[in-house]
Amino acid sequence: MPIHEKSLIRPENLTTHDELVIDGVDVSGHWSTFIESRVVSDYNEKLEDEIAALPGGEQIHRCWQCGSCTNSCTVNAINPDFNPRYWIYLIRMGMESELLRDKDIIWQCVSCNKCTYACPRDVFPEGVMKATSHWLERKGHTEKSPSMHFDEVFTEQVLKTGKIEESRTIRGFFKRTGQSLMQPWMVEMTKRMLRGLPVGLLTRMGLATLVAPKTRDWSAAKAAMQDYIDEQHEKQEQALSS
Amino acid sequence: MTKKDKYQKVAYYPGCALEGTGHSYNRSTKAVGKALGLDLVEVENWNCCGAMEVKNVDPKLQTYLSSRVMSTAANEMDMDVVMAPCNGCYHNLKKAEYDLKHDPESVEVVSKLSQKAGHKTYEAGQVETIHALDWIKDTVGEEGLKERVKNSLNGIKVANYYGCMYTRPRHIFPEKDQGPGSESTSKPHFMDDLLAAAGAENVEFPLKTACCGGAHTLSDSDTSTKLVLNILKAAKLAGADVIATECPTCHSGLEMHQIRAEKVLGETVDIKILYFTQLLGVALGLKPRKVGVHENVSDSRGFLKERGLA
């Protein structure tokens, strides 16, 4: 089993001396590697409250650092730097600069909810990951992640029509993130998809991309949801700027 | 009333994916229901459940969207059971039910939004949300299926893949983990049970509830491809011919990243991917076309023919 926390020691803080004698004891070479001590002085005491003010982060204060989240994490298994337990620790301690070292991967949580299933304290680590990604973006530490673009394209479409027509969402996402739709694997997939399809179904699918499916009498629901989103955004902005 | 009677006629919530990439799941669910003499009444003028994406923007907005679907079924159609074959929809309706039962703030937001939108507010307990697996298992059951099987799946080795949303997190599924007869959240078996009744041989598959990376299938494709490759390879190593699925996002994720792994990483895993309803359908004697096998991205037509199921 790998030691999960090994990645937490920064390489620049590991020192090995080729020739060093201390008090008559030879400590040269690899066997007596030193970890240099470091001092953190730039605490952000509001960090935990700010994360807790964003949707999903509400229960972060409950964490007792058992590590069940990281241990069960799908993404941790393919990238050991992805460490929810550690990030929750940093947030609660207010160690913002340490957290920012991992700012570009936190959004990669796949929401499989293994952490939430394993958590004995109902912290909802999956929600904390979402809240943290939102916090990073809203504080200007990161660009909007591709995942956030996808969520926004999707939500805009649900608000507009009540339903999702997938090809529209996919095209919207690729356009907003400046990617070409003509990636070889996408082309291959489309080819294979079209292979077995009868003409009637193709026509129906084609029509769906032109005339998006809609929920009828949706405008009042749409307006209500938009008002709610604006209200929440306002509240969150206040929490983030206080 | 027993579940058997209660689930005989259910409000059917296909959801957006089943009208798009998951069309063959929609077709096969309806066809199997018809073949088994079960009644589906589609939820009138339904809307998106909110999926993962709206939940990420604001969880309570997702709760509202899901509650509107349940409100329509309960208040407009007088139904007391909603059946959702899509794991995402099923999960979200269950989550909304849980939140509306336990979280006063969610109740407040949903009631305010429902009033503004001009429909009755859904109240916890008005409907019971079930998955297509519960629906078939609790009405026809294994014994009933055995009697109705025309083309046994005998000799077909299946890895049953349940994905994330059907069992996690545990608290939104209070009826699971209730001892014998109930579904397990750590080792789900309802799909295994049904396919075994149809004659299939279920392989020991350790990644039943692993994640396919569906949430980031396009926004972080490299991660999704790795996760899907794990699942495909594990199923193959376990000796499976087919991975049976029960979720349109998992299903299209497996199919899409099977191709992407081939094109981007040069890794080919030759394994078939079919919805469990497609396998049940052919076992019940339906033609593969009737259960939409030709609509899948991966091609299983030759395979079914070879095994005498077409």
Side-chain angles (χ1 to χ4, degrees), chain A residues 55 107-109 112 117 126 134 147 150-151 162-164 166 185 189 192 195 201 204 215-216 224 228, chain B residues 16 20-21 23 45-46 48 53 55-56 58-59 113 168 171 185 216 220 256 262 294-295 297 301:
Chain A
W107 68 273
Q108 287 180 305
C109 162
C112 68
Y117 185 98
E126 185 266 345
H134 285 184
S147 166
F150 194 85
D151 293 343
K163 288 183 180 179
I164 286 298
E166 289 160 316
W185 63 278
M189 193 180 75
R192 292 192 200 179
R195 178 205 52 219
L201 182 66
R204 199 181 51 78
T215 307
R216 293 187 307 279
Y228 172 76
Chain B
C16 308
T21 47
H23 189 263
N45 194 32
W46 51 264
C48 168
E53 288 76 5
K55 189 276 289 170
N56 289 346
D58 192 297
L113 289 175
R168 284 192 299 268
H171 67 268
T185 58
H216 289 168
D220 187 9
M256 188 192 273
E262 203 177 303
H294 59 294
E295 292 169 355
V297 173
R301 291 172 298 179

Side-chain angles (χ1 to χ4, degrees), chain A residues 114-127:
Chain A
K114 285 190 173 176
C115 51
T116 303
Y117 185 98
C119 179
R121 291 281 295 160
D122 292 342
V123 172
F124 298 98
E126 185 266 345

Side-chain angles (χ1 to χ4, degrees), chain B residues 13 24 72 78 91 130 146 155 180 185 189 203 213 216 226 241 251 253 255 259 264 268 273 305:
Chain B
Y13 178 44
S24 56
T72 307
D78 211 18
H91 174 103
I130 62 170
K146 277 180 196 161
T185 58
H189 53 84
V203 302
H216 289 168
K226 275 184 210 160
D241 306 309
H251 185 98
E255 288 187 324
I259 295 172
V264 178
T268 306
I273 303 160
K305 210 168 206 169

Side-chain angles (χ1 to χ4, degrees), chain A residues 55-56 58 74-75 78 107-114 116-117 124 126 130 134 146-147 150-152 154-155 158-159 162-164 166 170 173-174 179 184-186 188-189 192-193 195-198 201 204 213-218 220-221 224-225 227-229 231-232 236, chain B residues 16-17 19-21 23 45-48 50-61 64-65 68 91 109 112-113 116-117 164 167-171 185-186 209-211 213 215-216 218-221 223 226-227 256 259-260 262-264 289 294-299 301:
Chain A
E58 298 88 346
T74 296
V75 185
I78 50 177
W107 68 273
Q108 287 180 305
C109 162
V110 288
S111 296
C112 68
N113 269 317
K114 285 190 173 176
T116 303
Y117 185 98
F124 298 98
E126 185 266 345
K130 294 297 156 198
H134 285 184
S147 166
F150 194 85
D151 293 343
E152 287 183 353
F154 191 103
T155 303
V158 172
L159 246 60
K163 288 183 180 179
I164 286 298
E166 289 160 316
I170 293 170
F173 167 72
F174 275 84
Q179 299 180 71
W185 63 278
M186 283 286 255
E188 180 64 24
M189 193 180 75
R192 292 192 200 179
M193 207 161 85
R195 178 205 52 219
L197 291 182
L201 182 66
R204 199 181 51 78
K214 280 188 177 70
T215 307
R216 293 187 307 279
D217 304 322
W218 188 245
M225 286 192 288
D227 284 352
Y228 172 76
I229 292 177
E231 257 168 49
Q232 291 304 107
Q236 290 157 10
Chain B
C16 308
E19 294 204 332
T21 47
H23 189 263
N45 194 32
W46 51 264
N47 55 275
C48 168
M52 186 82 77
E53 288 76 5
V54 179
K55 189 276 289 170
N56 289 346
V57 168
D58 192 297
K60 289 192 180 64
L61 217 50
Y64 164 69
L65 286 164
R68 185 188 174 278
H91 174 103
V109 171
K112 198 170 134 194
L113 289 175
K116 280 192 181 174
C164 299
T167 55
R168 284 192 299 268
R170 192 199 317 256
H171 67 268
T185 58
S186 55
T209 66
C211 177
H216 289 168
L218 293 173
S219 49
D220 187 9
S221 302
T223 299
K226 275 184 210 160
L227 295 174
M256 188 192 273
I259 295 172
R260 194 170 182 276
E262 203 177 303
K263 291 279 156 192
V264 178
R289 258 194 124 66
H294 59 294
E295 292 169 355
N296 292 351
V297 173
S298 60
D299 195 350
R301 291 172 298 179

